[in-house]
Amino acid sequence: MSTLETQSVSKIYHMQGSEIRAVDAVSLQIQPGEFVALAGPSGSGKTTMLALLAGLLHPDDGEVLINGRSLRTMRKAELAAFRLTHIGFTFQSNNLVPYLTVRENVELMLRLNGALDQQGRARAVELLTRLDLGKRLDNLPSQLSGGQQQRVAIARALVHEPSIVLADEPTASLDTSRAHQVVSTLANLIHEQGRAGVMVSHDLRMCAYADRVLHMEDGRLVEEAVTA
Amino acid sequence: MLPLYLALKEMARNKRRFSAVFLIVALITLLVLFTSALGDGLSLGASEYFDRMGSELVVFQKDVDYQLQASRLGRSRLSQIRRVPGVAAVGPVGVSTAAIIAVNGAATDGLDVALIGVEPGEPGAPAAYAGEALNDSRAAHAVLDRHVVERLGIPLGATITLKVVQGMEEQLYDLRVQGFAEGRKVNYIPSIFVPLRRWERIRPQETPGGNEGADLLFNIAAVKLDQTAPPDAVAAAIERTVSQVEVTDPVTAYRTTQGYNDMQSTISMQQGFMLLIVVLIVGSFFQIQTLQKVAQIGMLEAIGASSRMVITTLLIQIMITLVVGLAIGGAVMWAMAQVLPATVPIVFSGTKITITILSLFAAGPAAAMVAARTILKIEPLRALGLSG
Ligand SMILES: Nc1ncnc2c1ncn2[C@@H]1O[C@H](COP(=O)(O)OP(=O)(O)OP(=O)(O)O)[C@@H](O)[C@H]1O
Ligand SMILES: [Mg+2]
């Protein structure tokens, strides 16, 4: 069974009579331990796709299945609880709670899950250390660079051991060498821990770390390039 | 508990911002409660004497519209009233004005007072919280109300000198201060009480020193009833059996005095408006504060925080803000009340304080909820950069 699967999923926005097919009949399957890149030009529907995968948007058509379970029948509170345990998320911006330190931001994910224990704390520090933030544990987000904030978000997306990790442009605010380091760490963690990872990026060099690259254009998957 | 943790963390890491917020809530509380207390203090000046009269009924001369100074009653009325079934005691009350010009021989600025003549031990005579109540029906003794005591700093046993206009002349009379009574303003001026026989001689009148032997005249009569007597029925009985009188209760007596209702409605309107405006300010304040957290709330929702968790966090923080703000405001108000000169009348009404506090506690969270509902609907998507 795939960790993550979509069956001809579509999202249509209606704008003054015209309709925008932001995601258009996309079917995909992602296995445990597989790291997939979602590439494509701006406006091609990548973020919308992530929102569908996370259950933040309801598809107008088709199905999203996580660990074989359809999101369609879940209600809002149920979806929130489901996201909390099964999904790790990083956003294009506004990733962190501004008044919590780096460590607290990562631990928040465990607190939300009601699972903050010794092991969890240790895992948070370990992840942050691997992401090169071992010395910034007690800094506030405002004291970090954009790239450092992205890395904190990555640690938060992994700390509760979700089956799926969704990352929207995690390298957008990083310089090239830092970007390589972050994405390779993310790829390693996903592979090691057997999670299903989806990373949005239009930087093809970053896509090199993915097992597969899915190209989107105008809401459709146009081709599938296998890199590894 | 996660919401409490988040609420406190945010406050701890934004101490300066939240101190400002506390201060604003405190100042607003202070503003409402203080203006309200001033208004009530003002209106007390019209009602205090009757409020503290301690008798169930007040007898006026007929057709004077309960005007204290216009009403005239004679001694013969007293015994007639006393005979009405249900009446336990009747006391004559004479009201005029004088000025205290000296205390123990030392000149004062001249404090205008209501000079009230009462029969010692009878209704209308005040109890003393210090010293003794009046007990000699002729002596040159006086009981001062708290306002007079505080304004002039008069000690018990002091001699005060009154200036009174009688005929064409100013007369001075010395009185010994025998006791202090609670505040009993009449028409906004503080009062001193003397035995009616003494009052008869020293009150402003045509003949200096009064007319010995003339029928004793006073303004109103205070009536205490037997415990079981129904006030309305006794009032009606008095009006039936005693000619040319009108009977009412003390509250009606001041409510119907000229200008009282106008003033009262102005004060109430002011208090109401103030509360309304403040509730709106506090409401929009918290609404704005909540809307500023859009990005953060959206992100929390997107990673899976429940709406309930987010809302509880907001509410806890608003409650803490209001409690701390109200506490500071209340403390400052209390301190101000202590240092304010006795000439500024302030009265704290428990009901109004409660209403104010409850309104603030309703407005803050309600406004935040309105804001939060909008945010929770659209923001998880906005956290992703989708406009929603
Ligand atoms: N709420 C909305 N209403 C209408 N159209 C929308 C809405 N949200 C997104 N769209 C449209 O859907 C399409 C896909 O948007 P999306 O944000 O998913 O693109 P993207 O691939 O993530 O782009 P980028 O690389 O710039 O982040 C775009 O054409 C966008 O304008
Ligand atoms: Mg996007």
Side-chain angles (χ1 to χ4, degrees), chain A residues 13 47-48 50-51 56-57 76 80-81 83-84 87 89 91-101 104 108-109 111-112 140 156 168, chain B residues 2 5-7 9-11 13-14 295-296 298-307 309 313 317 376-377 380-386:
Chain A
Y13 292 111
T47 300
T48 306
L50 278 200
L56 286 167
L57 275 178
K76 192 174 173 242
R83 268 202 299 283
L84 207 49
I87 297 175
F89 224 137
F91 309 101
Q92 277 176 294
S93 57
N94 284 324
N95 258 306
L96 306 177
V97 180
Y99 51 83
L100 295 181
T101 63
E104 288 164 349
L108 176 64
M109 205 61 212
R111 285 181 193 273
L112 282 168
L140 289 171
R156 188 193 57 204
D168 198 356
Chain B
L2 188 50
Y5 164 85
L6 289 176
K9 279 283 180 199
E10 180 167 19
M11 293 176 135
R13 299 251 157 85
N14 294 285
Q296 198 195 117
M299 186 276 293
L300 285 174
E301 278 261 293
I303 62 175
S306 68
S307 307
M309 206 281 309
T313 306
Q317 207 171 65
L376 289 173
K377 243 182 244 156
L381 293 171
R382 202 173 281 178
L384 287 155
L386 296 169

Side-chain angles (χ1 to χ4, degrees), chain B residues 200-214:
Chain B
E200 170 70 4
R201 282 165 54 190
I202 65 180
R203 73 185 168 91
Q205 55 195 291
E206 288 305 312
T207 331
N211 292 330
E212 276 294 336

Side-chain angles (χ1 to χ4, degrees), chain A residues 13 15 20 22 41-48 92 169 202, chain B residues 386-388:
Chain A
Y13 292 111
M15 296 268 286
I20 300 168
S42 179
S44 57
K46 305 181 297 291
T47 300
T48 306
Q92 277 176 294
E169 306 261 15
H202 42 227
Chain B
L386 296 169
S387 55

